[in-house]
Amino acid sequence: MKSLETYLRALRASGRKALVPYFVAGVTPHWVQHVEAAVHAGADAIEIGIPFSDPMMDGVVIQEAALRALQAGTTFDSLCTDLAKLSTSVPLVAMTYFNIFHHYGLERSAGKLQSSGMSGAIVPDLPLEEADQWRSACAAHDVANIFLVAPSSPADRISSIAKATEGFCYASARMAVTGKSNNTGEGARVVSEIRAVSDVPTYIGIGISTPEQARAASSVSDGVIVGSALVQIILNGGGADDVESFVGGFRRAIDE
Amino acid sequence: MTDSKVFMTPPDERGHFGTFGGRFVPEALMPACLELETAFVEAWSDSHFTDEYRKVLHEFGGRPTPVTPLHRLSEQLGLRIFAKREDLAHTGSHKINNVIGQTLLTKRMGKTRVIAETGAGQHGVATATAAARMGLECTVYMGEIDTERQALNVFRMELLGATVVPVTSGSRTLKDAVNEAMREWVTCVQDTHYCLGSVMGPHPFPWMVREMQSIIGTEASQQLQQLGVEEPDLVVACVGGGSNAAGVFAGFANSSTRLIGIEAAGGSAVGKGSPGVLHGMRSLLLQDEFGQIEEAFSISAGLDYPGIGPEHAYLAASGRAEYFAIGDEDVINALQVLSLTEGIIPALETAHAVAWILQEAGKQIPLGSTVLLNLSGRGDKDVAQVREILRAQS
């Protein structure tokens, strides 16, 4: 079992619901301080978005953040260098589109993730059918490859995905790109279908923008992922204090 | 070309042409891609469906389009040139072939709405046209820059009842229109079909669109034989995503005819690109040293795309087809030459293929060769832009 999954299973066994904030690497010069603030406020793991020019699964907020990060010169290498400044014990999970790793080299990418302290990867445009080579590269470097399940996934696909995912299973609450706020949508149904075939930790993401939504989602799952709402605060010029207060609000709601 | 290989057959079961193609889409879209693949395979082997497809293309689309000998240009260049007249198809380009097929398939799948991306507007107009004819709702995503340089096509789509959404993200051209259409498709996949306009995207689109365009090559091959040409020496077509080229190549893929694709110099994925993954496919892409997709630049909105269909990447890698690039400066001249010598104003996209023939007659094209030009579209949509360019030059 990958280190990430061992860690997240132990977290669940301790009775704690996981809170996983998402950051776009390089969106501001001090983005690593934002990550530290989130950990301080009670995040259990961090999703590190590696910016890509064509983020097909992302709405306008993360598109804008990715654009700013790229204009600031952020690269896979540069954000890994930035992460060396980060002192935290919580796991880091990379999130990006497949072309970044494809271009960098799959084996080299997995090695880079490992040496930079990222123990997992989410690649939303890499479905199970195309993932064999990437999974082999991850296997050699203790990187957990996390798959998504969508509300549209039929039972046979959910079963295959839940067996293949490592670390946790990412349950999309809605048929939408990131950043469309709503209720927790179909998250509960998706989670129960995953749980019927696997005991892998299952987190709900996409469409969670308020502490109330996070509380509802975490009550039917093992954790929640919060992306666009947090990235919006940073785009608006928010600093580490604002991040800490935002993440702290989610933490309290989940723990209530 | 090696004799043992057969080209332009179906891809493997996961949509690969060699190492290219595949299906790199979010999980939310996988069920829709699988549903589409099943529906297409069933429909394409159902003679009721294919009869209806050919009937609509005949009665409504104006097929078969003729093959026209280009006598005066042939004489000037020392070649024997024929043009497959896709410019005479309804809506003025080959795009109608694909959209009739896909809208019939949309109805067969029980969906009531189509969305589409468009660059120059040709595919958008064709989709709006087919949607009107079939009684389907239609929304077209078009880069904001393209809505400005092809404003009349926006109006055409609206006249045909479509909603045109200007895309303001990224390069604000075709690349981002595809991104936006994909994002939209995730939210409405239950009742909506994404009517992709070229031989690109995730499996089964590259294969399905090639099949729906292969009527060009099938007709042209028969028509040339009736004109006494057993096999042309060359087939020449412009390539953005590559649907008109794939369609005409399909009629000659397993002959000894040289297959030539002409890219815009500013969007030359074969010439300047490298393997990468975008828009659901592994293909050749323009990208920087970090794997960020670069913007294409071309005088013709329809070729303003940083990638190429995966089967073309495979045909290039295997050596079965050859790809060359033509710069903007030669395109306007080619458009004028064809207008003056043959009485045909070609689309700027098509003018790239014309320009290559003008440039290479007696060089890469030996004198006396028989050449089939796929005249993929008419230039009416481009005349305002051409007038501005020529005024600026004079």
Side-chain angles (χ1 to χ4, degrees):
Chain A
M1 186 176 287
K2 297 282 170 63
S3 306
L4 177 66
E5 189 162 329
T6 305
Y7 181 95
L8 296 177
R9 281 176 180 267
L11 185 77
R12 178 174 61 185
S14 76
R16 185 173 165 99
K17 300 286 187 177
L19 173 59
V20 186
Y22 166 93
F23 292 90
V24 175
V27 66
T28 68
H30 306 297
W31 70 277
V32 170
Q33 292 170 16
H34 298 154
V35 175
E36 283 171 344
V39 174
H40 193 247
D44 298 297
I46 303 287
E47 237 188 83
I48 305 286
I50 304 174
F52 178 52
S53 54
D54 292 79
M56 193 169 77
M57 259 308 278
D58 286 305
V60 289
V61 172
I62 293 176
Q63 286 176 43
E64 170 65 21
L67 184 66
R68 284 198 205 176
L70 290 173
Q71 284 170 345
T74 306
T75 65
F76 186 17
D77 279 333
S78 79
L79 70 92
C80 288
T81 303
D82 291 347
L83 282 176
K85 301 172 211 156
L86 179 68
S87 55
T88 172
S89 55
V90 309
L92 306 178
V93 172
M95 187 285 186
T96 194
Y97 292 84
F98 188 52
N99 200 49
I100 297 292
F101 295 150
H102 182 275
H103 196 79
Y104 199 83
L106 301 188
E107 189 66 32
R108 189 169 163 236
S109 295
K112 186 75 180 174
L113 292 177
Q114 184 181 34
S115 66
S116 307
M118 287 183 269
S119 56
I122 303 167
V123 190
D125 61 343
L126 188 67
L128 192 55
E129 288 82 349
E130 294 285 353
D132 288 354
Q133 287 177 305
W134 172 240
R135 292 170 74 195
S136 303
C138 288
H141 295 280
D142 193 28
V143 172
N145 186 56
I146 295 148
F147 283 108
L148 288 91
V149 169
S152 58
S153 304
D156 59 331
R157 288 191 64 81
I158 291 178
S159 177
S160 307
I161 293 167
K163 284 176 184 131
T165 196
E166 300 168 318
F168 65 90
C169 191
Y170 192 131
S172 313
R174 304 188 64 225
M175 289 295 287
V177 296
T178 60
K180 302 280 167 100
S181 181
N182 203 320
N183 53 34
T184 52
E186 300 186 81
R189 176 182 66 79
V190 176
V191 171
S192 71
E193 290 190 37
I194 294 165
R195 282 183 170 166
V197 291
S198 170
D199 68 343
V200 70
T202 299
Y203 301 169
I204 294 178
I206 302 185
I208 294 183
S209 62
T210 68
E212 293 68 35
Q213 288 168 355
R215 177 169 47 213
S218 65
S219 72
V220 296
S221 68
D222 301 312
V224 292
I225 299 152
V226 184
S228 298
L230 176 55
V231 172
Q232 183 68 62
I233 285 174
I234 293 162
L235 289 182
N236 292 347
D241 289 350
D242 301 297
V243 171
E244 188 163 340
S245 137
F246 178 92
V247 175
F250 277 71
R251 180 80 261 167
R252 285 189 296 280
I254 290 171
D255 290 344
E256 265 172 26
Chain B
M1 176 191 175
T2 54
D3 291 335
S4 58
K5 262 192 168 169
V6 180
F7 289 93
M8 303 192 89
T9 53
D12 75 13
E13 72 278 7
R14 287 180 181 176
H16 299 105
F17 301 93
T19 62
F20 298 105
R23 184 144 51 195
F24 295 86
V25 292
E27 174 59 24
L29 292 179
M30 279 299 288
C33 289
L34 293 164
E35 176 197 18
L36 178 62
E37 181 189 350
T38 304
F40 169 65
V41 169
E42 284 176 7
W44 211 238
S45 61
D46 176 352
S47 61
H48 295 295
F49 183 86
T50 52
D51 286 351
E52 176 74 4
Y53 161 76
R54 277 189 285 268
K55 183 165 175 255
V56 176
L57 279 179
H58 173 63
E59 293 177 350
F60 178 70
R63 302 206 74 87
T65 59
V67 162
T68 303
L70 303 185
H71 292 297
R72 296 185 67 212
L73 192 64
S74 295
E75 195 174 327
Q76 280 182 19
L77 297 178
L79 304 172
R80 198 175 167 209
I81 309 171
F82 298 88
K84 176 61 173 165
R85 300 293 305 281
E86 294 302 294
D87 60 317
L88 294 178
H90 185 35
T91 73
S93 82
H94 68 290
K95 294 290 187 188
I96 195 75
N97 307 328
N98 172 41
V99 296
I100 292 299
Q102 287 202 47
T103 49
L104 283 171
L105 197 56
T106 302
K107 294 189 77 166
R108 189 178 164 106
M109 288 188 290
K111 298 189 175 187
T112 56
R113 178 170 173 257
V114 287
I115 57 172
E117 83 296 340
T118 197
Q122 293 293 86
H123 175 59
V125 168
T127 306
T129 299
R133 156 91 192 204
M134 305 288 176
L136 298 166
E137 275 183 71
C138 178
T139 302
V140 178
Y141 293 84
M142 187 170 188
E144 190 180 37
I145 290 175
D146 293 334
T147 61
E148 288 159 12
R149 55 181 175 180
Q150 298 288 350
L152 270 178
N153 269 343
V154 174
F155 182 63
R156 281 191 186 97
M157 288 183 262
E158 289 169 350
L159 268 181
L160 291 159
T163 304
V164 179
V165 179
V167 175
T168 56
S169 59
S171 64
R172 294 180 291 146
T173 61
L174 180 55
K175 168 177 88 86
D176 293 279
V178 176
N179 286 332
E180 209 54 39
M182 291 263 187
R183 289 180 186 121
E184 172 64 18
W185 197 28
V186 173
T187 69
C188 58
V189 69
Q190 295 280 18
D191 68 349
T192 300
H193 172 64
Y194 179 13
C195 185
L196 230 164
S198 192
V199 286
M200 46 164 287
H203 180 55
F205 284 104
W207 171 43
M208 179 176 74
V209 176
R210 179 250 281 171
E211 286 294 295
M212 290 173 173
Q213 291 292 2
S214 66
I215 194 166
I216 303 171
T218 307
E219 281 179 9
S221 170
Q222 290 166 359
Q223 289 164 320
L224 284 174
Q225 285 180 15
Q226 285 160 8
L227 290 164
V229 178
E230 203 52 42
E231 277 181 9
D233 298 306
L234 289 87
V235 171
V236 184
C238 65
V239 177
S243 71
N244 90 77
V248 74
F249 287 0
F252 305 90
N254 297 302
S255 71
S256 54
T257 299
R258 275 178 77 188
L259 307 178
I260 311 284
I262 306 300
E263 299 185 285
S268 174
V270 175
K272 297 181 197 154
S274 56
V277 173
L278 179 72
H279 294 155
M281 62 184 176
R282 183 177 190 274
S283 191
L284 295 170
L285 307 173
L286 298 179
Q287 51 189 328
D288 70 11
E289 61 181 302
F290 306 109
Q292 307 296 347
I293 307 306
E294 293 188 316
E295 291 171 24
F297 293 98
S298 169
I299 193 171
S300 72
L303 303 187
D304 225 347
Y305 183 68
I308 189 169
E311 189 169 26
H312 285 295
Y314 173 67
L315 291 172
S318 65
R320 177 61 191 98
E322 304 156 74
Y323 298 83
F324 303 100
I326 285 289
D328 287 351
E329 60 284 358
D330 297 323
V331 172
I332 296 288
N333 174 59
L335 180 141
Q336 291 176 283
V337 168
L338 196 71
S339 303
L340 288 170
T341 53
E342 296 294 343
I344 300 169
I345 302 174
L348 283 171
E349 290 78 11
T350 313
H352 286 72
V354 177
W356 188 80
I357 295 171
L358 297 180
Q359 178 185 296
E360 296 300 335
K363 298 173 190 163
Q364 286 213 52
I365 313 173
L367 294 179
S369 298
T370 303
V371 178
L372 176 67
L373 162 70
N374 196 30
L375 222 157
S376 55
R378 66 177 181 230
D380 301 45
K381 70 185 173 55
D382 297 317
V383 291
Q385 189 187 352
V386 172
R387 182 173 64 170
E388 275 179 37
I389 292 165
L390 291 176
R391 275 183 179 168
Q393 284 173 359
S394 63

